[in-house]
Amino acid sequence: MVKIGDRVRLVAIPDDLPPDAEPGAMATASLFHRCLGRVFPVVDINEFGYAELEVGEVNGQPAYMESIWVEPECLVVVA
Protein backbone atom coordinates (compact mmCIF):
# COMPACT_ATOMS: atom_id res chain seq x y z
CA MET A 1 0.00 0.00 0.00
CA VAL A 2 1.38 3.40 -1.01
CA LYS A 3 1.39 6.12 1.64
CA ILE A 4 2.06 9.87 1.66
CA GLY A 5 5.79 10.38 2.03
CA ASP A 6 6.76 7.10 0.34
CA ARG A 7 9.31 7.29 -2.46
CA VAL A 8 7.92 5.44 -5.45
CA ARG A 9 9.11 4.48 -8.92
CA LEU A 10 6.70 4.84 -11.83
CA VAL A 11 6.88 1.38 -13.43
CA ALA A 12 3.86 1.46 -15.75
CA ILE A 13 1.82 3.99 -17.67
CA PRO A 14 -1.98 3.86 -17.41
CA ASP A 15 -3.67 2.60 -20.59
CA ASP A 16 -6.39 5.25 -20.57
CA LEU A 17 -4.27 8.41 -20.97
CA PRO A 18 -5.47 10.78 -23.68
CA PRO A 19 -3.07 10.99 -26.63
CA ASP A 20 -0.99 14.17 -26.81
CA ALA A 21 -2.30 14.93 -30.31
CA GLU A 22 -5.88 15.25 -29.06
CA PRO A 23 -6.97 18.88 -29.58
CA GLY A 24 -7.01 20.83 -26.35
CA ALA A 25 -5.36 18.02 -24.39
CA MET A 26 -2.34 18.59 -22.22
CA ALA A 27 0.77 16.60 -23.12
CA THR A 28 -0.10 14.09 -20.42
CA ALA A 29 1.12 10.97 -22.23
CA SER A 30 4.51 12.54 -22.96
CA LEU A 31 4.83 13.65 -19.35
CA PHE A 32 4.11 10.12 -18.08
CA HIS A 33 6.68 8.69 -20.52
CA ARG A 34 9.34 11.11 -19.24
CA CYS A 35 8.53 10.05 -15.67
CA LEU A 36 8.66 6.29 -16.38
CA GLY A 37 11.37 4.60 -14.35
CA ARG A 38 12.03 7.66 -12.18
CA VAL A 39 11.52 7.97 -8.42
CA PHE A 40 9.26 10.60 -6.83
CA PRO A 41 7.82 11.18 -3.35
CA VAL A 42 4.09 10.70 -2.85
CA VAL A 43 2.65 14.08 -1.82
CA ASP A 44 -1.03 13.16 -1.56
CA ILE A 45 -3.49 10.31 -2.04
CA ASN A 46 -7.03 10.95 -3.24
CA GLU A 47 -10.28 9.20 -2.33
CA PHE A 48 -9.75 6.69 -5.19
CA GLY A 49 -6.30 5.66 -3.91
CA TYR A 50 -4.40 7.46 -6.66
CA ALA A 51 -1.05 8.91 -5.60
CA GLU A 52 -0.06 12.48 -6.46
CA LEU A 53 3.53 12.83 -7.61
CA GLU A 54 5.16 16.22 -8.14
CA VAL A 55 7.12 15.80 -11.37
CA GLY A 56 8.05 19.28 -12.61
CA GLU A 57 11.73 18.38 -12.55
CA VAL A 58 11.33 16.16 -15.62
CA ASN A 59 10.60 19.39 -17.53
CA GLY A 60 13.41 21.38 -15.90
CA GLN A 61 11.12 23.11 -13.41
CA PRO A 62 10.77 22.90 -9.63
CA ALA A 63 9.05 19.62 -8.73
CA TYR A 64 5.87 21.32 -7.44
CA MET A 65 5.19 23.03 -10.80
CA GLU A 66 3.63 19.90 -12.33
CA SER A 67 1.98 16.87 -10.81
CA ILE A 68 0.39 13.64 -11.97
CA TRP A 69 -2.11 11.36 -10.29
CA VAL A 70 -1.21 7.69 -10.65
CA GLU A 71 -2.96 4.42 -9.89
CA PRO A 72 -1.09 2.49 -7.17
CA GLU A 73 -0.60 -0.52 -9.47
CA CYS A 74 1.67 1.64 -11.65
CA LEU A 75 4.01 2.33 -8.71
CA VAL A 76 6.61 0.44 -6.71
CA VAL A 77 7.76 1.69 -3.30
CA VAL A 78 11.55 2.06 -3.15
CA ALA A 79 13.81 2.13 -0.10
Side-chain angles (χ1 to χ4, degrees), residues 20-77:
D20 288 348
E22 190 172 296
M26 296 176 64
T28 304
S30 292
L31 180 59
F32 267 81
H33 281 280
R34 286 192 301 279
C35 294
L36 190 62
R38 295 185 65 166
V39 175
F40 304 95
V42 175
V43 296
D44 199 6
I45 296 177
N46 70 11
E47 66 271 15
F48 304 108
Y50 287 29
E52 181 183 15
L53 311 178
E54 292 180 339
V55 299
E57 62 202 37
V58 301
N59 287 329
Q61 301 175 347
Y64 66 86
M65 294 297 290
E66 293 189 63
S67 66
I68 56 176
W69 289 90
V70 185
E71 296 92 326
E73 52 273 356
C74 294
L75 303 170
V76 171
V77 177

Side-chain angles (χ1 to χ4, degrees), residues 2 4 7 40 69:
V2 175
I4 294 173
R7 293 184 51 78
F40 304 95
W69 289 90

